[in-house]
Amino acid sequence: HTELSVFELVGGEPTFRALVDHFYARVEQDDVLRPLFPEDLELGKYWQYLFLMQYWGGPTQYAAERGHPRLRMRHAPFQIDAEARNHWVEHMLAAIDEVGIQEPARSMMRDYFERGASFMINHIVPD
Ligand code: HEM
């Protein structure tokens, strides 16, 4: 059949490259997120780019190079609380619009990132 993947719908590889570029440009300027990320952002950026293409139906190079995503486990070294999650989501949703991703892909991606980011919280700040 001829149903398009989100990967194809949004324009393929260049769109994901741009999405990750815009997202990381924002992370670099964010005083909450920047200290959470390693000093050198390039490798994480590369895995993020490969993972997102694969997740949305594009090339499976992430699996070939990195194996199973195990995202909760890979985020465990970083203390992610609700505030960090909210900053992360704000920047990813903004990047989606900066890159010009259109409906219906826009809403599908927003829903995924909002839910996925909550799942990555691994630190509760007491009242
Ligand atoms: C790394 C995806 C949410 C912080 C990564 C990687 C991926 C990813 C694919 C690289 C994994 C690898 O090493 O193979 C996602 C997705 C999310 C999400 C899909 C939500 C749907 C978050 C949130 C934070 C966060 C909420 C909060 C700050 C990080 C950090 C790294 C990372 C600090 C390590 C970067 C590095 O090693 O350079 N994430 N992430 N992520 N993520 Fe996330």
Side-chain angles (χ1 to χ4, degrees):
H1 68 135
T2 58
E3 211 171 282
L4 289 175
S5 62
V6 166
F7 175 78
E8 293 166 301
L9 205 56
V10 302
E13 188 276 335
T15 303
F16 284 88
R17 184 175 295 275
L19 180 67
V20 171
D21 280 348
H22 281 259
F23 172 71
Y24 264 88
R26 291 171 151 274
V27 167
E28 274 193 280
Q29 302 302 317
D30 188 306
D31 293 340
V32 171
L33 293 183
R34 187 64 190 89
L36 267 171
F37 281 71
E39 187 171 315
D40 185 348
L41 295 172
E42 284 312 307
L43 190 56
K45 204 171 158 178
Y46 177 68
W47 294 129
Q48 173 80 278
Y49 155 75
L50 290 190
F51 172 80
L52 291 177
M53 287 197 291
Q54 172 176 296
Y55 182 84
W56 293 107
T60 56
Q61 199 181 334
Y62 181 90
E65 289 191 31
R66 193 75 163 143
H68 190 284
R70 300 161 83 194
L71 286 187
R72 275 275 301 174
M73 185 207 74
R74 293 198 201 276
H75 287 77
F78 311 101
Q79 188 168 300
I80 302 177
D81 60 17
E83 185 189 28
R85 176 261 178 220
N86 290 343
H87 282 238
W88 192 102
V89 169
E90 178 196 327
H91 296 316
M92 189 58 87
L93 300 192
I96 286 172
D97 287 336
E98 285 167 357
V99 167
I101 291 172
Q102 303 293 307
E103 298 295 353
R106 178 176 180 272
S107 288
M108 294 169 73
M109 294 177 85
R110 289 174 63 97
D111 289 352
Y112 168 70
F113 286 128
E114 300 221 32
R115 282 182 296 107
S118 300
F119 182 63
M120 258 21 116
I121 293 174
N122 55 24
H123 183 78
I124 306 296
V125 180
D127 298 319

